Amino acid sequence: MEEILKQTTKDFSKKNERIQTIIIALLAFLIPTFLAQLIQTLFGAQSIITNNSQLVVGSIVNTLLVICALNIKGWSKTAFVITMPSISTILSGYVFKSASVYMVWMIPAIWLGNFALIFAFKYIMLAKEKNYVLAAISGVICKVLIIFGFFTILKLFNVFPEQLVSNLQKAMSLTQLITAIIGCIIAYGFYKVECAYKKDVV
């Protein structure tokens, strides 16, 4: 598995990769807090946009995860990026609001789901040299199944208050699916630009 996690689209210098890791991890931590807070400030706490801020935040976070999969290698750097979004989301409380305290139970599944998305790209696209779309579809499906499956199990044990179950169920299934797909699409744009840049350099 370690060899698969070392796969990247290009052999970046250690300095370049370290800088990319810091930037991606920093954005992954800051976006769930400050972007969600900015949306709430601009549009109001009860607006439709604020109530659906997970779509915006989640799409950007998934974009960062895919970029990490393509450009960053190794367990430690990958784990650093994977853990940042959920920690920030729960600590800030802007995305899930009153349900944030209960989302602590979902942290292991979110980390595992994020890892599944990254691993799918590294294994299918980079190690096996299949196309981007196949890696994206596989990664998205695995991520959503892991997160929603774990949520379903916790729901059976009445971990979440009944009044929050409906919203959380949507957040852990359909919203996860939509944001993961959007993230893969946006990241594809970055990937193509990077490919074009490499050709120009060559």
Side-chain angles (χ1 to χ4, degrees):
M1 185 176 287
E2 180 63 32
E3 287 303 311
I4 294 173
L5 290 176
K6 289 180 179 178
Q7 300 291 321
T8 55
T9 56
K10 175 186 175 183
D11 288 326
F12 297 98
S13 66
K14 288 185 178 180
K15 180 180 179 181
N16 187 303
E17 188 180 337
R18 193 177 298 116
I19 291 172
Q20 286 194 68
T21 304
I22 292 171
I23 291 173
I24 292 172
L26 193 60
L27 287 173
F29 182 80
L30 294 177
I31 284 171
T33 298
F34 292 101
L35 180 57
Q37 184 179 4
L38 179 62
I39 291 172
Q40 179 172 310
T41 301
L42 291 175
F43 299 99
Q46 302 304 319
S47 71
I48 295 176
I49 296 176
T50 300
N51 289 332
N52 290 281
S53 60
Q54 188 190 356
L55 289 172
V56 179
V57 171
S59 297
I60 297 175
V61 167
N62 278 290
T63 301
L64 295 172
L65 291 174
V66 176
I67 293 174
C68 172
L70 300 179
N71 292 357
I72 306 300
K73 66 176 66 173
W75 270 108
S76 58
K77 298 186 190 77
T78 301
F80 187 43
V81 173
I82 285 172
T83 56
M84 289 297 101
S86 56
I87 292 174
S88 176
T89 299
I90 292 169
L91 288 178
S92 68
Y94 283 103
V95 175
F96 293 107
K97 298 180 176 60
S98 61
S100 295
V101 64
Y102 299 101
M103 291 307 297
V104 172
W105 291 94
M106 289 298 301
I107 284 181
I110 292 170
W111 287 353
L112 188 57
N114 288 345
F115 176 77
L117 181 62
I118 289 175
F119 189 81
F121 275 93
K122 287 190 175 294
Y123 179 73
I124 296 173
M125 180 181 167
L126 302 180
K128 294 300 181 181
E129 299 183 343
K130 304 298 182 181
N131 65 48
Y132 185 101
V133 175
L134 180 60
I137 292 172
S138 301
V140 168
I141 291 173
C142 287
K143 176 175 180 172
V144 174
L145 286 178
I146 289 169
I147 293 176
F148 184 65
F150 195 80
F151 171 79
T152 302
I153 292 172
L154 290 179
K155 188 175 67 171
L156 293 175
F157 289 94
N158 297 316
V159 170
F160 309 106
E162 188 175 342
Q163 65 270 24
L164 297 177
V165 167
S166 179
N167 287 336
L168 286 177
Q169 184 164 297
K170 179 183 176 183
M172 296 299 107
S173 56
L174 182 60
T175 305
Q176 291 292 332
L177 178 64
I178 293 171
T179 56
I181 291 173
I182 293 174
C184 288
I185 292 172
I186 297 172
Y188 183 72
F190 284 98
Y191 167 67
K192 295 303 288 184
V193 168
E194 190 174 82
C195 288
Y197 174 75
K198 284 192 291 185
K199 288 180 180 178
D200 289 341
V201 171
V202 174

